[in-house]
Amino acid sequence: MQLPPLSLYVHIPWCVQKCPYCDFNSHALKGGIPETEYVSHLLDDLAADLEFVQGRPLSTIFFGGGTPSLLSEQAMDRLLKGIEELVPFAEDIEITLEANPGTLETNKFSGFSKSGVNRISIGVQSFELEKLKQLGRIHNSEEALKAAGFAHDAVATFNLDLMHGLPNQSLEQALADLKQAIALEPYHLSWYQLTIEPNTLFYSKPPELPEDEVLWDIQAQGHELLKSAGYEQYEISAYSKPEHQCRHNLNYWQFGDYLGIGCGAHGKITDLNSDTIIRTEKVKHPKGYMDFTKSYRYKQWQVETDDLPFEYFMNRLRLRAPFSLSEFEQRTGLERSTVEPAISKAVELGLLNQNNTSNQDTRSAELQLTQQGLRYYNNLVDLFL
């Protein structure tokens, strides 16, 4: 087992209002954000996790939520400086901030950039006003266009989040959304299908979604649009221009390590002392999280050896790039023989390609997701249960 790169996820749990499709740990504002207090707790939370750093710098930071762009420039500056005092930054660190177009102002965003944020992920979801209302979004298409312009001016790279398969959405509407997103020239596009998750308003009152045949046409034609515009699909729902992949998410999918601080944040750590994978979960509700009498860490557990193959491949097989089983051995501490039967079955079913196998040298073989494996991803990862 070897130490992989280390990332940091920071959860900001507040948003203006809860979206009906959202199952994230987010809470609608009932007054102002207690940001001074919360930043202090975030830094104390990180300090309590320093045992997991094991001498590594932070290669990426991701501010998610909720709506992190609700924080003031001063709070973000204090937070980033405090984080760097606790854990050194890699020279080329990627620092991403999720933003809602309805909470962005030009000066505020410039302030985030001056504090070190060099990548922004803008939650557009759609450019059609009716669809935005159905999704509970607080912005309109004009604000989304402005947000993309702010991002172009202030940071090195930015992402647009866009959904398809929205309530009663036609093929033409979905492609129009995608064409508008492409016209804004983002360096990265997260383009994913709306799914109905438990514990959401949409789950209790399901909207009418497009038929499967329409969904498949949207995905197929949308993929060709993105490809012709110079975007490469490097993950199931992620497209980027060359050299603009999201490094933070890549570390997740390559089974790297990450600390999670903030309400309900999760972490995954390789512990060389015990040769185990440890997962952590923080207290979920802001009131409990900001209680000085309690630990920030709600749960900590060791991933069982039998669960490691599924956890590794559930992440790694989201990526289109080829890989070898030597990475599996390094990241899990397991021998490749533990998964070779499942790999063989996946190759037999046409879900994986196995390349470079001349002279039956399986140690140098490269594995790669096929188009069939992409379409039947859930069936593929179930082979490793």
Side-chain angles (χ1 to χ4, degrees):
M1 189 176 288
Q2 298 179 9
L3 276 180
L6 181 66
S7 295
L8 174 66
Y9 174 76
V10 184
H11 192 73
I12 310 299
W14 296 281
C15 51
V16 175
Q17 66 183 28
K18 185 81 172 180
C19 297
Y21 60 86
C22 178
D23 68 337
F24 295 150
N25 181 32
S26 58
H27 304 267
L29 278 174
K30 297 177 181 178
I33 294 178
E35 61 177 22
T36 300
E37 182 183 2
Y38 191 65
V39 167
S40 295
H41 282 284
L42 287 171
L43 294 174
D44 287 345
D45 187 358
L46 179 58
D49 276 357
L50 291 181
E51 62 182 294
F52 297 135
V53 174
Q54 299 173 93
R56 292 170 290 181
L58 288 175
S59 59
T60 68
I61 301 174
F62 195 102
F63 292 92
T67 307
S69 54
L70 288 171
L71 289 179
S72 68
E73 306 99 302
Q74 294 77 18
M76 179 60 67
D77 190 62
R78 178 187 163 213
L79 181 51
L80 278 171
K81 285 177 178 174
I83 292 171
E84 189 171 17
E85 287 177 4
L86 291 168
V87 188
F89 290 0
E91 288 186 9
D92 61 344
I93 189 170
E94 174 194 271
I95 303 177
T96 300
L97 173 80
E98 284 187 336
N100 185 321
T103 64
L104 273 180
E105 300 170 4
T106 308
N107 293 337
K108 186 176 184 182
F109 191 69
S110 298
F112 290 149
S113 178
K114 289 175 183 176
S115 295
V117 173
N118 52 26
R119 184 178 184 273
I120 185 167
S121 181
I122 304 172
V124 172
Q125 314 312 355
S126 178
F127 293 96
E128 188 179 337
L129 186 57
E130 180 189 351
K131 295 292 184 274
L132 288 170
K133 288 180 179 178
Q134 289 174 323
L135 294 173
R137 305 299 290 174
I138 64 170
H139 68 276
N140 56 38
S141 58
E142 183 179 346
E143 289 171 319
L145 298 177
K146 287 181 179 179
F150 297 163
H152 260 302
D153 294 339
V155 289
T157 187
F158 74 97
N159 167 68
L160 294 182
D161 266 355
L162 193 68
M163 284 185 178
H164 61 85
L166 305 180
N168 299 306
Q169 188 178 47
S170 67
L171 170 64
E172 292 73 23
Q173 289 173 324
L175 295 182
D177 262 353
L178 189 54
K179 288 174 183 176
Q180 176 63 84
I182 291 171
L184 294 174
E185 300 182 330
Y187 300 96
H188 190 285
L189 262 165
S190 297
W191 188 58
Y192 51 95
Q193 182 180 324
L194 170 65
T195 56
I196 306 301
E197 303 289 351
N199 303 313
T200 65
L201 182 59
F202 274 178
Y203 188 79
S204 59
K205 298 180 179 179
E208 187 174 342
L209 300 181
E211 299 289 337
D212 287 346
E213 195 171 311
V214 175
L215 292 173
W216 181 247
D217 286 342
I218 290 172
Q219 291 176 25
Q221 294 189 37
H223 176 80
E224 290 305 315
L225 263 178
L226 287 160
K227 185 177 177 181
S228 64
Y231 291 91
E232 177 190 4
Q233 183 184 25
Y234 70 96
E235 187 267 343
I236 289 176
S237 58
Y239 294 77
S240 77
K241 292 293 181 73
E243 308 300 322
H244 286 281
Q245 297 176 345
C246 177
R247 287 169 44 208
H248 185 86
N249 286 342
L250 277 175
N251 194 40
Y252 286 158
W253 297 322
Q254 292 169 343
F255 213 52
D257 280 358
Y258 52 95
L259 302 171
I261 61 173
C263 298
H266 288 249
K268 176 258 172 185
I269 295 295
T270 303
D271 182 11
L272 288 186
N273 291 323
S274 60
D275 275 340
T276 59
I277 301 295
I278 295 171
R279 291 203 177 271
T280 61
E281 181 182 347
K282 301 303 171 63
V283 174
K284 191 171 183 179
H285 197 277
K287 184 177 180 180
Y289 180 81
M290 293 190 288
D291 183 343
F292 280 112
T293 66
K294 297 179 180 177
S295 169
Y296 298 111
R297 203 177 298 172
Y298 172 63
K299 284 195 300 185
Q300 177 178 321
W301 68 98
Q302 176 185 322
V303 179
E304 297 296 332
T305 301
D306 289 346
D307 295 332
L308 279 173
F310 178 77
E311 291 218 11
Y312 173 84
F313 284 105
M314 178 180 63
N315 288 282
R316 192 59 181 82
L317 291 175
R318 294 187 64 89
L319 296 175
R320 303 298 304 272
F323 65 101
S324 73
L325 287 180
S326 60
E327 182 190 274
F328 167 77
E329 293 179 320
Q330 292 167 3
R331 298 288 164 95
T332 66
L334 301 177
E335 295 291 332
R336 67 184 62 209
S337 58
T338 60
V339 296
E340 282 176 340
I343 294 292
S344 297
K345 185 65 175 177
V347 171
E348 179 187 333
L349 293 172
L351 304 176
L352 285 179
N353 277 334
Q354 187 165 297
N355 308 316
N356 303 333
T357 54
S358 58
N359 300 322
Q360 303 301 310
D361 182 11
T362 58
R363 297 197 67 83
S364 64
E366 283 193 337
L367 299 165
Q368 188 168 19
L369 191 69
T370 65
Q371 195 62 35
Q372 190 85 339
L374 177 68
R375 185 174 183 180
Y376 297 104
Y377 164 81
N378 289 334
N379 301 82
L380 172 57
V381 297
D382 282 350
L383 296 174
F384 297 94
L385 281 170

